[in-house]
Amino acid sequence: MKGLVWLLLLTTMTTVGLAQNKPNLKLWYTKPSEAVWENALPVGNGRLGAMVYGNVPQETIQLNEGTVWSGSPNRNDNPDAKAVLPEIRQLIFDGKQKEAEQLANKSIITKKSHGQMYQPVGNLLLTFAGHDTFTDYYRELDIERAVAKTTYKVGDVTYTREVIASLPDNVLVIQLSADKPGKLSFVTSFTSLHANVLINTTNRNELMLAGTTSDHEGVPGQVKFKSLARIKTKGGTVSANGQTLVVNGATTATIYLAIATNFVNHHDLSGNETERVTTTLDKAFRQSYAALLKPHIAAYQRYFNRVHLDLTSTDAARLSTDERLKNFRSTNDPQLVTLYYQYGRYLLISSSQPNGQAANLQGIWNRSMRPPWDSKYTININTQMNYWPAEKTGLSEMHEPLFSLIRDLSETGKETARVMYGARGWMAHHNTDIWRINGPVDGAFWGMWTAGGAWLSQHLWEHYLYTGDRAFLTTAYPILKGAAQFYADFLVEDPRYHWLVVSPSTSPENAPQAHGGSSLDAGTTMDNQIVFDVFSTAIRVADLLKTDAAFADSLRQMRAKLPPMHIGKYGQLQEWLDDIDDPNDKHRHISHLYGLFPSSQISAYRTPNLFNASRTTLTHRGDVSTGWSMGWKVNWWAKLQDGNHAYTLIQSQLTPLGVNKEGGGTYNNLFDAHPPFQIDGNFGCTSGITEMLMQSNDGAVHLLPALPDVWPTGSISGLRARGGFEIVGMTWEGGKLVNVEIRSMLGGNLRVRTPNQLKQSEGMLATASGPNPNEFYQTEETPTPIVATLTGPATPTPPLKPTWLYDIPTQRGKTYTLTAQ
Ligand code: FUC
């Protein structure tokens, strides 16, 4: 009897328990999703997205395709803006912000579309008669292989389903099997929320779903989409039944599903969705599941395997993912952080592929016809945050869809700059969509902000800093120049302070009480910082490409007249030109800390006063907030070199939804909760964890700048640093760096900053001082901060931990090993 119990235990452990034994990169659960979308597991290939519910008697696979958007090519500029601009500026300078906002609502905010909606395609349903009672249930998402799996037993038959969104073949493949011959029978059907969809079987024994996207805000819906599903079985039969495909008595069945649209680009819908979907499906259908699976995994792993992280594991890792999430705040589960970190990379690979669309507010996964904020692109933080992990976590190629969005905006945004503001160059306000709208939307409170395109443009420069790709920089230059030209024409002199300022503007979505609750202002800190970056980048690139010397000079002169950053009466970094911040303001946007991250204007070493003021500001704003806001805060606390505080934010983020009062958290499928689901928080936190372990934007490759006490031991490999350096491997123990191997892909001086002293080996290391001669580490000096007299006690600022700074002259292609003393 005892033996039998052991045998039973062993069997359970091998069938369902393997994942629990070895902590690995799987999200896994012992329950189906039921009706909860945020329990379902995402797969995607940057074009197709699917949410796999893992429900038993009726499986739902919710379907997305990246170009299924409401509307059609359109513009939403408001040409009335130009005439009212001087009056609005005057009102703002006269302190009549509320009146300025009213006028902007009337004459600047668009009278057309406020942006179109990213829409779902439909659901694939698989209905299994007689599967209401089941045992041994298990489902997982293996993010090392990009495969979702569900298994369960009905009687003595074990059923297994696997789902992939094939990267190379652009099809969803669903492989179903029974471990007893002939025991697999099910009905396949489509549903969709779109009006006027056509769902039927075709004479090629396939199931079809075809429709056209919605009209929205006066823009006719003209994206035609078509999905086709075909089934191959081992044993049994497949029959078309008008509206369903019926599989009977099979042992395995492979469902091949393709989706295509007529979308070519933001101004062209002349694609043939029928031809596209048929060609893709025909090609994939010739191959077996195994033949599709192998290249899919290989294509995925080519990106995913570039970075390995190990923060060590504890017993807490033995539980299912939802249980671990529940326990995270009260247990030590560093492996959940590793899983969450790598999940961010999985989500970026799955939602953003070259030649596809950029990851939107929900990546590529959306079930709703009218999703929150249209699931479009909010470019006053959210879209940018999506791409923070791209370069540094070895996913540079995933950045490409954002670059093409920026390229498109730089074209469509020329007309916006001209007709709305009489300016050269290009611009975009705070939202855009697949049609690349640039006009101001939602109301002046949110939409009267001109720096969306300008901020995005800096991603092109960042790509260059990581890769050193001169050809890329040459094609990016006109875009960077256009962003600078816009502000060269748009800046006005502030009559009180005589600085050049952006007006009208906002500090995204926040409003000081002193302005009667209006958000409109001139010369907000974030704008000054963004214009500073836009000008500095254009100057740098013009110099590098030896072009436009006179233009660069004019930018230099204007840059010198931008407002400096100010430290206000609470010791805070001022959000506004006047010292009107409220230390009790808990607003989720802390836009003026753009200068600390993602920009490098505020530095522990170059601008210690601003650095300390940033800490005060961040302390005032508090920790718990919306998901993406907490994600940003992880990065900021990492930049402030406070690993323990950054970890507190990770804890707040990795909290089941509902526990943080008035804040976000995480759903069971580890999607970030604003709430609702918004993917930026996932990406923001992955970036933040990277910044805790390595930074490269302040004159050096800074190793372990913000290691929290809870991760005393660990290793990471594959991170990328600016200047083309790759952290081939880094290990630490007892909170101290042990060794690091760094490959230099571009040559040049490698300056490293370390938390403990390194061993000298063959005179390779020199103690560094002065500016880093490596051109990728040049930092523009920010205007000298103005420090106001402190009327209250300044927040005590903890001193920075000591660091060591070394220079290593490197050669392209060589790897350098550094060991601690
Ligand atoms: C910005 C944020 C909101 C939300 C929306 C999509 O407007 O202020 O919190 O994330 O984008």
Side-chain angles (χ1 to χ4, degrees):
M1 184 62 200
K2 223 175 173 182
L4 186 67
V5 172
W6 271 113
L7 188 69
L8 273 176
L9 256 179
L10 264 179
T11 335
T12 350
M13 281 182 71
T14 41
T15 52
V16 286
L18 267 186
Q20 294 96 312
N21 289 338
K22 180 177 155 275
N24 48 27
L25 296 178
K26 286 179 177 176
L27 285 72
W28 66 269
Y29 308 83
T30 56
K31 288 182 221 78
S33 299
E34 305 292 350
V36 182
W37 187 83
E38 293 84 356
N39 284 343
L41 296 170
V43 295
N45 64 6
R47 288 173 186 74
L48 307 179
M51 293 293 283
V52 183
Y53 279 66
N55 289 341
V56 177
Q58 186 168 73
E59 171 63 311
T60 300
I61 297 175
Q62 187 259 308
L63 305 169
N64 285 108
E65 198 280 344
T67 62
V68 176
W69 283 69
S70 70
S72 45
N74 73 95
R75 301 191 60 88
N76 68 344
D77 309 318
N78 186 345
D80 298 347
K82 213 162 127 185
V84 297
L85 200 55
E87 192 181 343
I88 289 190
R89 286 176 166 163
Q90 196 55 52
L91 287 169
I92 291 173
F93 291 135
D94 291 346
K96 297 176 179 161
Q97 281 83 2
K98 201 76 213 171
E99 283 168 52
E101 189 177 321
Q102 279 157 6
L103 187 53
N105 271 326
K106 200 167 132 249
S107 303
I108 294 191
I109 292 302
T110 186
K111 296 191 166 61
K112 296 182 173 164
S113 162
H114 287 251
Q116 296 298 313
M117 305 176 291
Y118 176 54
Q119 297 195 306
V121 170
N123 297 307
L124 178 77
L125 302 182
L126 309 176
T127 312
F128 301 82
H131 285 211
D132 300 278
T133 309
F134 54 88
T135 59
D136 298 51
Y137 181 86
Y138 174 81
R139 71 187 168 104
E140 68 174 30
L141 176 65
D142 180 349
I143 63 169
E144 278 175 298
R145 294 165 66 244
V147 180
K149 185 165 111 179
T150 309
T151 60
Y152 59 92
K153 266 173 123 169
V154 175
D156 61 350
V157 183
T158 299
Y159 289 92
T160 305
R161 306 173 194 156
E162 288 193 356
V163 184
I164 60 167
S166 163
L167 276 164
D169 289 285
N170 198 21
V171 281
L172 273 187
V173 193
I174 301 140
Q175 171 77 359
L176 302 113
S177 62
D179 72 344
K180 303 255 166 9
K183 289 291 183 188
L184 181 66
S185 301
F186 61 93
V187 177
T188 312
S189 56
F190 271 137
T191 59
S192 178
L193 295 168
H194 285 273
N196 309 320
V197 280
L198 209 59
I199 296 176
N200 55 250
T201 51
T202 71
N203 55 12
R204 297 181 76 192
N205 235 18
E206 58 197 1
L207 187 60
M208 183 195 80
L209 163 64
T212 307
T213 58
S214 307
D215 303 345
H216 186 52
E217 298 180 335
V219 185
Q222 289 175 349
V223 176
K224 292 189 202 154
F225 57 89
K226 187 176 271 191
S227 178
L228 287 178
R230 234 179 266 165
I231 307 181
K232 220 187 249 177
T233 62
K234 201 155 102 200
T237 56
V238 187
S239 52
N241 203 356
Q243 304 252 293
T244 59
L245 290 180
V246 181
V247 171
N248 241 319
T251 307
T252 68
T254 313
I255 306 175
Y256 300 75
L257 187 150
I259 311 174
T261 73
N262 61 344
F263 182 91
V264 178
N265 58 44
H266 64 280
H267 53 79
D268 182 354
L269 292 178
S270 66
N272 183 332
E273 71 282 4
T274 302
E275 208 174 283
R276 286 171 164 183
V277 72
T278 312
T279 312
T280 308
L281 191 61
D282 283 350
K283 183 167 167 276
F285 196 70
R286 279 182 226 127
Q287 303 177 62
S288 67
Y289 175 59
L292 290 170
L293 182 64
K294 214 173 152 203
H296 163 66
I297 294 175
Y300 172 75
Q301 291 185 340
R302 185 180 146 228
Y303 303 123
F304 185 76
N305 284 355
R306 287 178 187 162
V307 170
H308 290 275
L309 171 65
D310 183 4
L311 296 173
T312 76
S313 189
T314 60
D315 264 2
R318 296 172 73 87
L319 297 176
S320 62
T321 306
D322 46 342
E323 293 299 322
R324 291 170 73 184
L325 182 65
K326 265 188 225 147
N327 297 341
F328 185 67
R329 286 164 74 99
S330 53
T331 40
N332 182 23
D333 190 358
Q335 205 272 340
L336 188 66
V337 179
T338 305
L339 181 67
Y340 187 70
Y341 177 81
Q342 292 289 24
Y343 190 49
R345 298 185 64 246
Y346 168 84
L347 292 172
L348 194 61
I349 300 169
S350 306
S351 64
S352 186
Q353 282 287 317
N355 302 318
Q357 294 302 314
N360 62 47
L361 281 176
Q362 297 185 189
I364 198 169
W365 300 279
N366 164 45
R367 71 181 144 156
S368 168
M369 291 290 284
R370 303 180 71 92
W373 293 285
D374 304 331
S375 193
K376 54 183 184 290
Y377 300 100
T378 309
I379 53 176
N380 65 13
I381 171 61
N382 317 83
T383 304
Q384 287 88 347
M385 184 178 281
N386 282 1
Y387 286 90
W388 289 349
E391 300 291 338
K392 56 195 163 204
T393 79
L395 302 178
S396 190
E397 296 93 331
M398 271 80 264
H399 219 160
E400 197 276 336
L402 185 73
F403 301 152
S404 53
L405 179 147
I406 298 167
R407 245 172 255 129
D408 291 346
L409 282 180
S410 75
E411 288 301 323
T412 56
K414 279 181 196 154
E415 193 173 329
T416 314
R418 186 174 56 80
V419 303
M420 289 191 63
Y421 302 113
R424 293 169 302 162
W426 67 279
M427 64 84 63
H429 294 86
H430 95 299
N431 268 215
T432 191
D433 61 14
I434 200 167
W435 313 114
R436 309 322 193 201
I437 55 151
N438 310 66
V441 303
D442 289 354
F445 187 95
W446 304 272
M448 190 58 267
W449 184 69
T450 58
W455 184 355
L456 279 173
S457 72
Q458 297 308 294
H459 281 246
L460 303 171
W461 172 239
E462 284 290 313
H463 178 71
Y464 170 73
L465 289 181
Y466 279 91
T467 60
D469 185 343
R470 272 293 181 108
F472 176 86
L473 192 65
T474 308
T475 61
Y477 178 63
I479 304 172
L480 297 167
K481 179 180 176 184
Q485 272 176 325
F486 172 73
Y487 281 114
D489 288 356
F490 190 69
L491 291 175
V492 284
E493 188 178 304
D494 184 304
R496 297 168 304 166
Y497 305 113
H498 306 293
W499 288 307
L500 287 179
V501 293
V502 178
S503 178
S505 189
T506 66
S507 182
E509 310 197 19
N510 200 7
Q513 285 308 318
H515 292 170
S518 168
S519 70
L520 261 60
D521 204 8
T524 64
T525 301
M526 181 193 232
D527 276 354
N528 304 334
Q529 294 167 341
I530 290 179
V531 177
F532 183 88
D533 276 352
V534 164
F535 282 3
S536 301
T537 303
I539 294 165
R540 286 281 297 281
V541 182
D543 286 357
L544 279 168
L545 302 180
K546 301 197 176 20
T547 183
D548 283 337
F551 176 64
D553 267 347
S554 70
L555 294 182
R556 274 191 195 94
Q557 282 165 30
M558 275 184 280
R559 187 177 62 181
K561 293 185 187 152
L562 292 173
M565 287 182 251
H566 291 59
I567 298 173
K569 61 183 172 222
Y570 303 105
Q572 87 282 12
L573 183 76
Q574 278 179 212
E575 182 161 8
W576 322 92
L577 220 39
D578 294 318
D579 191 0
I580 49 176
D581 300 271
D582 174 0
N584 296 313
D585 178 1
K586 303 289 176 210
H587 202 275
R588 62 194 180 284
H589 286 262
I590 320 177
S591 301
H592 43 319
L593 293 191
Y594 163 89
L596 178 66
F597 185 90
S599 178
S600 326
Q601 291 171 39
I602 300 173
S603 147
Y605 306 101
R606 285 176 291 117
T607 63
N609 291 334
L610 293 173
F611 185 79
N612 288 332
S614 301
R615 186 191 286 106
T616 304
T617 290
L618 199 51
T619 309
H620 288 166
R621 287 286 166 96
D623 290 347
V624 171
S625 188
T626 57
W628 64 258
S629 178
M630 294 193 281
W632 201 347
K633 287 170 185 169
V634 178
N635 292 271
W636 282 320
W637 282 112
K639 286 307 305 280
L640 291 169
Q641 303 185 20
D642 189 337
N644 287 338
H645 206 131
Y647 184 73
T648 306
L649 263 307
I650 297 175
Q651 282 181 305
S652 302
Q653 218 177 338
L654 276 173
T655 294
L657 192 63
V659 177
N660 286 326
K661 286 183 189 60
E662 296 168 34
T666 295
Y667 295 104
N668 278 340
N669 63 3
L670 300 189
F671 269 174
D672 180 71
H674 179 290
F677 163 51
Q678 226 174 264
I679 206 159
D680 39 20
N682 286 95
F683 295 136
C685 193
T686 292
S687 163
I689 294 164
T690 312
E691 296 287 326
M692 291 165 78
L693 302 174
M694 194 269 296
Q695 296 172 15
S696 69
N697 63 344
D698 194 7
V701 177
H702 191 165
L703 304 172
L704 303 177
L707 193 66
D709 296 342
V710 286
W711 305 337
T713 300
S715 66
I716 190 156
S717 61
L719 294 182
R720 301 294 171 102
R722 290 172 181 82
F725 296 110
E726 184 190 350
I727 311 297
V728 179
M730 170 168 76
T731 56
W732 64 94
E733 267 171 39
K736 286 199 156 43
L737 179 70
V738 174
N739 55 47
V740 60
E741 247 182 274
I742 302 179
R743 180 159 54 224
S744 169
M745 288 177 288
L746 302 170
N749 184 58
L750 165 62
R751 177 167 291 182
V752 285
R753 188 182 283 283
T754 59
N756 42 289
Q757 219 167 339
L758 298 179
K759 255 189 217 152
Q760 268 296 350
S761 62
E762 295 158 23
M764 186 171 73
L765 294 171
T767 304
S769 64
N772 185 347
N774 186 315
E775 62 165 290
F776 297 96
Y777 283 81
Q778 276 174 29
T779 33
E780 297 296 334
E781 289 312 316
T782 51
T784 327
I786 290 188
V787 186
T789 321
L790 303 181
T791 52
T795 322
T797 47
L800 291 174
K801 289 187 196 120
T803 55
W804 280 261
L805 204 57
Y806 303 98
D807 276 342
I808 302 138
T810 71
Q811 282 173 29
R812 181 187 283 259
K814 287 215 165 143
T815 302
Y816 301 82
T817 306
L818 311 174
T819 315
Q821 278 194 0

